[in-house]
Amino acid sequence: QVHLVESGGGLVQAGGSLRLSCAASGGTFSTKVMGWFRQAPGKEREFVAGISWNGGHADYADSVKGRFTTSKDNPKNTAYLQMNSLKPEDTATYYCAAKERRDESGRLYYYPADYGSWGQGTRVTVSS
């Protein structure tokens, strides 16, 4: 499927911000539903955010609502995750994922198994 490359992770202090990027190639990005997931050591991969194929609708895990914003720039073949007010519990490896839309609705997907393409992950460490 589409090839995804994440970037933008790093080490930040609590309260700081990072913007993650997910660059896509090899597929039709404009029709992909995008998801963001994270995985901390010893824990399962969990849903963080999702955005509809046209970028018109997004949803977030309760743990990040009000702090994170995802967006999708179809002409640039890139999705973003803006992370503000970071907390130590946000420390994890963050992954972007893509799924081809089934129709023109704004449906989102919340489970790793729903997605067919994954990035390599980018590490985010938030110090206290």
PDB file of all heavy atoms in Angstrom, residues 1 10 19 21 39 45 58 68-69 73 77 83 97 99 113-114 122:
ATOM      1  N   GLN A   1       0.839  -1.214   0.000  1.00  0.00           N
ATOM      2  CA  GLN A   1       0.000   0.000   0.000  1.00  0.00           C
ATOM      3  C   GLN A   1       0.864   1.251   0.000  1.00  0.00           C
ATOM      4  O   GLN A   1       2.031   1.199  -0.355  1.00  0.00           O
ATOM      5  CB  GLN A   1      -0.904  -0.022   1.255  1.00  0.00           C
ATOM      6  CG  GLN A   1      -2.218  -0.744   1.034  1.00  0.00           C
ATOM      7  CD  GLN A   1      -3.327   0.221   0.658  1.00  0.00           C
ATOM      8  OE1 GLN A   1      -3.081   1.198  -0.076  1.00  0.00           O
ATOM      9  NE2 GLN A   1      -4.532  -0.062   1.130  1.00  0.00           N
ATOM     10  N   GLY A  10      10.826  13.913  19.192  1.00  0.00           N
ATOM     11  CA  GLY A  10      11.976  14.411  19.916  1.00  0.00           C
ATOM     12  C   GLY A  10      11.721  14.471  21.395  1.00  0.00           C
ATOM     13  O   GLY A  10      10.747  13.911  21.908  1.00  0.00           O
ATOM     14  N   ARG A  19       5.142  19.049  16.571  1.00  0.00           N
ATOM     15  CA  ARG A  19       4.302  18.739  15.431  1.00  0.00           C
ATOM     16  C   ARG A  19       4.906  17.571  14.673  1.00  0.00           C
ATOM     17  O   ARG A  19       6.026  17.657  14.164  1.00  0.00           O
ATOM     18  CB  ARG A  19       4.128  19.926  14.484  1.00  0.00           C
ATOM     19  CG  ARG A  19       3.093  19.629  13.388  1.00  0.00           C
ATOM     20  CD  ARG A  19       2.744  20.831  12.550  1.00  0.00           C
ATOM     21  NE  ARG A  19       3.733  21.094  11.518  1.00  0.00           N
ATOM     22  CZ  ARG A  19       3.483  21.763  10.395  1.00  0.00           C
ATOM     23  NH1 ARG A  19       2.258  22.251  10.173  1.00  0.00           N
ATOM     24  NH2 ARG A  19       4.447  21.975   9.523  1.00  0.00           N
ATOM     25  N   SER A  21       4.846  14.955  11.479  1.00  0.00           N
ATOM     26  CA  SER A  21       4.456  14.918  10.080  1.00  0.00           C
ATOM     27  C   SER A  21       4.444  13.483   9.590  1.00  0.00           C
ATOM     28  O   SER A  21       5.235  12.654  10.039  1.00  0.00           O
ATOM     29  CB  SER A  21       5.419  15.737   9.215  1.00  0.00           C
ATOM     30  OG  SER A  21       5.406  17.098   9.581  1.00  0.00           O
ATOM     31  N   GLN A  39       2.473   3.948  21.107  1.00  0.00           N
ATOM     32  CA  GLN A  39       2.777   2.767  21.896  1.00  0.00           C
ATOM     33  C   GLN A  39       3.930   3.078  22.831  1.00  0.00           C
ATOM     34  O   GLN A  39       5.016   3.447  22.381  1.00  0.00           O
ATOM     35  CB  GLN A  39       3.128   1.582  20.999  1.00  0.00           C
ATOM     36  CG  GLN A  39       3.276   0.270  21.748  1.00  0.00           C
ATOM     37  CD  GLN A  39       3.288  -0.919  20.811  1.00  0.00           C
ATOM     38  OE1 GLN A  39       3.609  -0.800  19.635  1.00  0.00           O
ATOM     39  NE2 GLN A  39       2.920  -2.072  21.337  1.00  0.00           N
ATOM     40  N   ARG A  45      -0.519  -0.802  21.636  1.00  0.00           N
ATOM     41  CA  ARG A  45      -0.714   0.335  20.765  1.00  0.00           C
ATOM     42  C   ARG A  45      -2.130   0.887  20.941  1.00  0.00           C
ATOM     43  O   ARG A  45      -3.106   0.137  20.939  1.00  0.00           O
ATOM     44  CB  ARG A  45      -0.476  -0.079  19.319  1.00  0.00           C
ATOM     45  CG  ARG A  45      -0.408   1.076  18.347  1.00  0.00           C
ATOM     46  CD  ARG A  45       0.127   0.613  16.994  1.00  0.00           C
ATOM     47  NE  ARG A  45       1.479   0.083  17.116  1.00  0.00           N
ATOM     48  CZ  ARG A  45       2.239  -0.255  16.081  1.00  0.00           C
ATOM     49  NH1 ARG A  45       1.776  -0.104  14.840  1.00  0.00           N
ATOM     50  NH2 ARG A  45       3.445  -0.743  16.281  1.00  0.00           N
ATOM     51  N   ALA A  58     -12.410  15.090  12.365  1.00  0.00           N
ATOM     52  CA  ALA A  58     -11.383  14.426  13.152  1.00  0.00           C
ATOM     53  C   ALA A  58     -11.951  14.006  14.493  1.00  0.00           C
ATOM     54  O   ALA A  58     -12.935  14.577  14.978  1.00  0.00           O
ATOM     55  CB  ALA A  58     -10.173  15.341  13.345  1.00  0.00           C
ATOM     56  N   PHE A  68      -4.312  17.924  21.389  1.00  0.00           N
ATOM     57  CA  PHE A  68      -3.784  17.486  20.101  1.00  0.00           C
ATOM     58  C   PHE A  68      -4.746  17.866  18.984  1.00  0.00           C
ATOM     59  O   PHE A  68      -5.969  17.867  19.175  1.00  0.00           O
ATOM     60  CB  PHE A  68      -3.596  15.968  20.067  1.00  0.00           C
ATOM     61  CG  PHE A  68      -2.488  15.433  20.930  1.00  0.00           C
ATOM     62  CD1 PHE A  68      -1.850  16.214  21.887  1.00  0.00           C
ATOM     63  CD2 PHE A  68      -2.078  14.118  20.776  1.00  0.00           C
ATOM     64  CE1 PHE A  68      -0.835  15.701  22.675  1.00  0.00           C
ATOM     65  CE2 PHE A  68      -1.062  13.598  21.558  1.00  0.00           C
ATOM     66  CZ  PHE A  68      -0.446  14.383  22.506  1.00  0.00           C
ATOM     67  N   THR A  69      -4.196  18.154  17.816  1.00  0.00           N
ATOM     68  CA  THR A  69      -4.980  18.437  16.627  1.00  0.00           C
ATOM     69  C   THR A  69      -4.343  17.728  15.442  1.00  0.00           C
ATOM     70  O   THR A  69      -3.144  17.873  15.213  1.00  0.00           O
ATOM     71  CB  THR A  69      -5.051  19.940  16.336  1.00  0.00           C
ATOM     72  OG1 THR A  69      -5.585  20.637  17.466  1.00  0.00           O
ATOM     73  CG2 THR A  69      -5.943  20.203  15.119  1.00  0.00           C
ATOM     74  N   ASP A  73      -3.199  17.567   4.674  1.00  0.00           N
ATOM     75  CA  ASP A  73      -2.951  18.458   3.547  1.00  0.00           C
ATOM     76  C   ASP A  73      -2.831  17.597   2.302  1.00  0.00           C
ATOM     77  O   ASP A  73      -1.754  17.082   1.991  1.00  0.00           O
ATOM     78  CB  ASP A  73      -1.679  19.274   3.777  1.00  0.00           C
ATOM     79  CG  ASP A  73      -1.491  20.380   2.753  1.00  0.00           C
ATOM     80  OD1 ASP A  73      -2.015  20.263   1.631  1.00  0.00           O
ATOM     81  OD2 ASP A  73      -0.805  21.369   3.079  1.00  0.00           O
ATOM     82  N   ASN A  77       0.357  15.745   0.248  1.00  0.00           N
ATOM     83  CA  ASN A  77       0.443  14.325   0.604  1.00  0.00           C
ATOM     84  C   ASN A  77       0.996  14.127   2.014  1.00  0.00           C
ATOM     85  O   ASN A  77       1.814  13.230   2.257  1.00  0.00           O
ATOM     86  CB  ASN A  77       1.296  13.561  -0.410  1.00  0.00           C
ATOM     87  CG  ASN A  77       0.634  13.422  -1.762  1.00  0.00           C
ATOM     88  OD1 ASN A  77      -0.580  13.585  -1.893  1.00  0.00           O
ATOM     89  ND2 ASN A  77       1.420  13.102  -2.774  1.00  0.00           N
ATOM     90  N   MET A  83       0.804  18.563  18.701  1.00  0.00           N
ATOM     91  CA  MET A  83       0.693  18.146  20.084  1.00  0.00           C
ATOM     92  C   MET A  83       1.102  19.307  20.978  1.00  0.00           C
ATOM     93  O   MET A  83       2.260  19.733  20.954  1.00  0.00           O
ATOM     94  CB  MET A  83       1.565  16.923  20.358  1.00  0.00           C
ATOM     95  CG  MET A  83       1.290  15.758  19.416  1.00  0.00           C
ATOM     96  SD  MET A  83       2.201  14.253  19.873  1.00  0.00           S
ATOM     97  CE  MET A  83       3.880  14.830  19.633  1.00  0.00           C
ATOM     98  N   ALA A  97      -0.986   5.968  10.209  1.00  0.00           N
ATOM     99  CA  ALA A  97      -1.519   4.847   9.456  1.00  0.00           C
ATOM    100  C   ALA A  97      -2.537   5.357   8.447  1.00  0.00           C
ATOM    101  O   ALA A  97      -3.161   6.401   8.651  1.00  0.00           O
ATOM    102  CB  ALA A  97      -2.166   3.832  10.400  1.00  0.00           C
ATOM    103  N   LYS A  99      -5.763   4.200   5.599  1.00  0.00           N
ATOM    104  CA  LYS A  99      -6.744   3.242   5.106  1.00  0.00           C
ATOM    105  C   LYS A  99      -7.512   3.876   3.949  1.00  0.00           C
ATOM    106  O   LYS A  99      -7.970   5.012   4.058  1.00  0.00           O
ATOM    107  CB  LYS A  99      -7.726   2.839   6.208  1.00  0.00           C
ATOM    108  CG  LYS A  99      -8.883   1.983   5.705  1.00  0.00           C
ATOM    109  CD  LYS A  99      -9.868   1.659   6.814  1.00  0.00           C
ATOM    110  CE  LYS A  99     -11.145   1.050   6.254  1.00  0.00           C
ATOM    111  NZ  LYS A  99     -10.886  -0.125   5.399  1.00  0.00           N
ATOM    112  N   ALA A 113      -6.015  -2.767  13.390  1.00  0.00           N
ATOM    113  CA  ALA A 113      -6.323  -3.730  12.341  1.00  0.00           C
ATOM    114  C   ALA A 113      -7.107  -3.124  11.191  1.00  0.00           C
ATOM    115  O   ALA A 113      -7.186  -3.724  10.117  1.00  0.00           O
ATOM    116  CB  ALA A 113      -7.096  -4.911  12.933  1.00  0.00           C
ATOM    117  N   ASP A 114      -7.695  -1.955  11.380  1.00  0.00           N
ATOM    118  CA  ASP A 114      -8.442  -1.303  10.316  1.00  0.00           C
ATOM    119  C   ASP A 114      -7.537  -0.727   9.228  1.00  0.00           C
ATOM    120  O   ASP A 114      -8.011  -0.481   8.109  1.00  0.00           O
ATOM    121  CB  ASP A 114      -9.300  -0.167  10.873  1.00  0.00           C
ATOM    122  CG  ASP A 114     -10.434  -0.657  11.745  1.00  0.00           C
ATOM    123  OD1 ASP A 114     -10.991  -1.735  11.469  1.00  0.00           O
ATOM    124  OD2 ASP A 114     -10.779   0.057  12.712  1.00  0.00           O
ATOM    125  N   THR A 122       7.836   7.476  15.162  1.00  0.00           N
ATOM    126  CA  THR A 122       8.755   8.509  15.612  1.00  0.00           C
ATOM    127  C   THR A 122       8.599   8.649  17.125  1.00  0.00           C
ATOM    128  O   THR A 122       7.481   8.684  17.647  1.00  0.00           O
ATOM    129  CB  THR A 122       8.509   9.841  14.875  1.00  0.00           C
ATOM    130  OG1 THR A 122       9.508  10.795  15.243  1.00  0.00           O
ATOM    131  CG2 THR A 122       7.129  10.409  15.168  1.00  0.00           C
TER     132      THR A 122
END
